Amino acid sequence: MSSGKLPPAAGDLQLNFCKTLTCPNFGSTDEQHYLVQHTNPARPTLVCRECGAFPPLLNNHQVHAELITQRQLHADGLCACTNPDCEHLGNPVLTHRACYHAFGYSGDKQRYRCKGCQSTFVDRWSGVNKKSELQQKLLAYLFTGHTVREICRRLTLNPKTFYDHLNHIAARCRQKLAAYDTRFLGETTQGHLASVHAPLQPHSQNGVQWLATGEAHSGYVLLQDVNYHSYDHPVVNAQHDPYQDHCRFIASAPDVDRSETLATPEGLLGRVDAKYRAVFARSNVEDPYTQPLHFIYPNRGTLIRPQYTTYAHYLNLKPLLAHWQNIVVFSPQEPLLRSACLSVFEADIRDKRVSHVYVEQDAYWQPGAEPEKIDIVLLSWWRDRWAFTRSGEGTKAICDHGQAKGKEAYWLTHASCDALKKYQQHFHQQFALLVNEPRRRLRPGGLLPLLDIYRAWHNLCWQDKQHQTPAQHLGLTDRPLTLADLLL
Ligand SMILES: [Zn+2]
Ligand SMILES: [Zn+2]
């Protein structure tokens, strides 16, 4: 076995370094700064010589491969280059004119050629949507909680045709969203984002996690990914070995029951502290699935190790924010989200252009409440600096990983993951029958087009208590769109 080497970089991408913000080796990819050993599997492979941290290793090539897969899924059906090896992959013609030449017509549809790779493609969205009427009915049934079986019966569709329509609508929604996303990103130079994660199907225990990042206050969702591919991949190792090809795929494992149920501690401080202990029980602190977990592998497709999905998610987010001068990312307490965000934005974190803040609160906390007294507590091996406060019955806590002192009261008032958490909760309520259908529990693939349709509906159609959509809150449009507008 080779010794002393970090997993090789993929181009410029090397994510294996010390992730302790206050350590001089934070972000350093110099192998001299670490002890790297492969001989004793019971001990960490990488240890920082300066601070003693032992960040888990990643296969950079596998992170890059997942990034390309995500980008292809985000761009599926868009009028954009689809060549995975091309720098213009997924850049819509609509917003990236300079990347393409107009290249004649195919029937009545405009054809384009990519300047990067010379491949050509057709704008399938030019012209009228002849299926608009049927698709409007289909969407209306979906959004009023009907199951696929019922919708097929009412519209006399077979399931195959139903899913063809669903995929077509999802692609149209992605195309629609691309224009709004670009306007939002282009007109903004600073902001608060929030990243949240939840099981895609909370009652299925199928291991599929759903990660979403959006503007923290309006709840406008920019990017979402799941750690699941709907097709099969070769899975080589049961254990994660970052020096192996294909190591981002999870092997289908026998269904293991979790025997011990951990008691939920009292109070927010107790919960935050218990979470750190649960994290240290993982053999890989950045992989929530290295605890003994009860999950039932999907019948079709492949699960991805969550750290690969999460690092790729932030790598896809990064170029979208390239011109922003100041970015704060809020997230619930989860080292995977913290590490992935800090690692991807490592140089920007040191320049203080990007910072990351954990936010936790109990059910009694009132949004926007002013903190009363603030208590500072250092928690965990990392000595994370948390600020706890109360207001009325509610408790809230934040942890600013930039360790910027003096901003605690500000973050305790303004930092929030609520809007993004509600985005995921509403999905589970809105589509409860569909999400929890017994037959679908181990077949999550059919829900993937629905996620993009839901993102479009949430950003552009759904109105909050002030009768405003997230897109309206951001000034991107002056009226809510209807389901019919999404199909135009
Ligand atoms: Zn260190
Ligand atoms: Zn291209």
Side-chain angles (χ1 to χ4, degrees):
M1 198 177 259
S2 70
S3 81
K5 287 279 173 217
L6 294 171
D12 293 337
L13 188 67
Q14 175 55 272
L15 294 163
N16 297 298
F17 45 72
C18 177
K19 308 203 172 171
T20 309
L21 267 170
T22 48
C23 176
N25 290 350
F26 171 64
S28 165
T29 54
D30 182 346
E31 283 171 4
Q32 303 300 318
H33 290 156
Y34 306 101
L35 292 162
V36 187
Q37 68 88 28
H38 305 273
T39 38
N40 185 349
R43 295 187 33 211
T45 314
L46 177 76
V47 179
C48 174
R49 289 185 194 268
E50 197 67 43
C51 73
F54 40 94
L57 295 181
L58 287 155
N59 181 317
N60 299 298
H61 289 270
Q62 288 283 286
V63 175
H64 186 259
E66 189 55 25
L67 173 154
I68 295 294
T69 306
Q70 288 180 359
R71 208 172 278 176
Q72 284 179 300
L73 288 169
H74 301 155
D76 186 17
L78 293 193
C79 179
C81 178
T82 54
N83 177 355
D85 299 320
C86 179
E87 57 182 321
H88 300 321
L89 166 67
N91 291 344
V93 173
L94 190 68
T95 51
H96 293 75
R97 290 263 166 207
C99 301
Y100 306 99
H101 293 292
F103 199 65
Y105 284 87
S106 175
D108 62 342
K109 304 220 184 268
Q110 177 72 51
R111 179 169 280 279
Y112 293 95
R113 183 151 94 177
C114 175
K115 289 183 188 171
C117 67
Q118 314 305 323
S119 66
T120 67
F121 54 89
V122 165
D123 180 4
R124 55 190 280 212
W125 306 112
S126 54
V128 212
N129 181 10
K130 297 186 186 87
K131 297 163 190 155
S132 167
E133 209 169 307
L134 174 72
Q135 293 184 344
Q136 268 185 58
K137 287 183 191 157
L138 190 155
L139 274 192
Y141 284 131
L142 259 181
F143 277 85
T144 45
H146 292 77
T147 62
V148 176
R149 186 191 298 245
E150 284 168 346
I151 299 172
C152 287
R153 189 174 53 76
R154 285 167 187 251
L155 298 176
T156 51
L157 298 171
N158 64 46
K160 160 95 176 57
T161 326
F162 171 86
Y163 283 109
D164 288 347
H165 279 296
L166 201 65
N167 283 316
H168 187 260
I169 299 169
R172 192 170 275 276
C173 286
R174 286 191 288 271
Q175 173 76 5
K176 197 121 238 169
L177 280 165
Y180 289 91
D181 292 353
T182 306
R183 192 167 340 140
F184 165 54
L185 292 163
E187 287 173 1
T188 313
T189 54
Q190 58 174 4
H192 295 167
L193 301 176
S195 290
V196 295
H197 61 168
L200 179 63
Q201 295 159 276
H203 303 296
S204 74
Q205 296 176 303
N206 64 8
V208 182
Q209 288 278 325
W210 171 26
L211 172 64
T213 298
E215 201 279 323
H217 307 293
S218 64
Y220 186 96
V221 180
L222 271 174
L223 209 54
Q224 58 184 355
D225 292 289
V226 293
N227 63 320
Y228 168 81
H229 295 173
S230 52
Y231 42 93
D232 294 334
H233 285 283
V235 181
V236 196
N237 288 323
Q239 298 298 321
H240 176 233
D241 177 352
Y243 293 88
Q244 293 282 329
D245 218 6
H246 304 297
C247 67
R248 75 187 196 279
F249 305 124
I250 301 179
S252 129
D255 172 13
V256 191
D257 213 346
R258 179 157 52 170
S259 45
E260 40 164 348
T261 354
L262 299 170
T264 316
E266 297 263 327
L268 192 60
L269 174 59
R271 266 184 18 223
V272 169
D273 192 45
K275 172 78 184 205
Y276 278 118
R277 274 182 276 125
V279 164
F280 267 95
R282 301 173 182 169
S283 61
N284 177 334
V285 294
E286 292 182 12
D287 185 352
Y289 290 176
T290 50
Q291 272 172 307
L293 270 189
H294 174 74
F295 79 74
I296 314 167
Y297 208 91
N299 282 339
R300 288 187 192 158
T302 313
L303 288 174
I304 314 299
R305 295 186 192 280
Q307 62 269 48
Y308 288 89
T309 307
T310 310
Y311 277 77
H313 177 87
Y314 285 112
L315 284 166
N316 271 318
L317 185 68
K318 190 178 178 178
L320 304 181
L321 310 173
H323 64 287
W324 286 27
Q325 286 148 18
N326 199 288
I327 305 158
V328 185
V329 182
F330 307 135
S331 86
Q333 179 196 4
E334 168 51 61
L336 171 56
L337 297 176
R338 170 198 177 276
S339 290
C341 183
L342 295 190
S343 303
V344 166
F345 289 103
E346 165 268 324
D348 305 299
I349 297 261
R350 279 185 288 151
D351 291 349
K352 311 244 179 247
R353 187 175 83 93
V354 175
S355 49
H356 185 268
V357 178
Y358 276 154
V359 190
E360 290 290 340
Q361 63 196 49
D362 65 17
Y364 305 106
W365 182 263
Q366 298 297 319
E370 298 279 336
E372 289 165 12
K373 180 171 155 290
I374 298 172
D375 292 313
I376 303 295
V377 191
L378 299 180
L379 289 172
S380 85
W381 182 90
W382 291 286
R383 298 181 64 73
D384 283 346
R385 188 172 179 281
W386 284 81
F388 283 80
T389 194
R390 300 188 61 86
S391 174
E393 291 295 294
T395 314
K396 181 168 176 175
I398 57 102
C399 171
D400 178 353
H401 289 108
Q403 309 261 337
K405 289 177 189 163
K407 290 199 84 177
E408 294 85 4
Y410 179 79
W411 289 137
L412 282 165
T413 310
H414 297 283
S416 171
C417 298
D418 280 356
L420 271 292
K421 282 188 173 172
K422 279 185 188 146
Y423 168 71
Q424 295 191 317
Q425 286 161 5
H426 287 169
F427 176 82
H428 290 137
Q429 288 159 6
Q430 181 91 39
F431 302 107
L433 274 179
L434 205 63
V435 166
N436 299 320
E437 262 183 306
R439 273 162 29 90
R440 188 175 307 280
R441 289 189 176 184
L442 295 181
R443 295 177 178 215
L447 291 176
L448 302 186
L450 188 58
L451 281 183
D452 283 338
I453 298 170
Y454 176 67
R455 177 166 91 88
W457 175 81
H458 169 88
N459 285 349
L460 305 174
C461 309
W462 172 77
Q463 299 170 52
D464 63 9
K465 286 179 189 140
Q466 299 146 39
H467 305 288
Q468 299 262 308
T469 64
Q472 281 178 282
H473 278 296
L474 294 176
L476 303 175
T477 167
D478 51 14
R479 67 174 183 93
L481 268 57
T482 62
L483 287 179
D485 291 331
L486 292 182
L487 298 170
L488 285 178

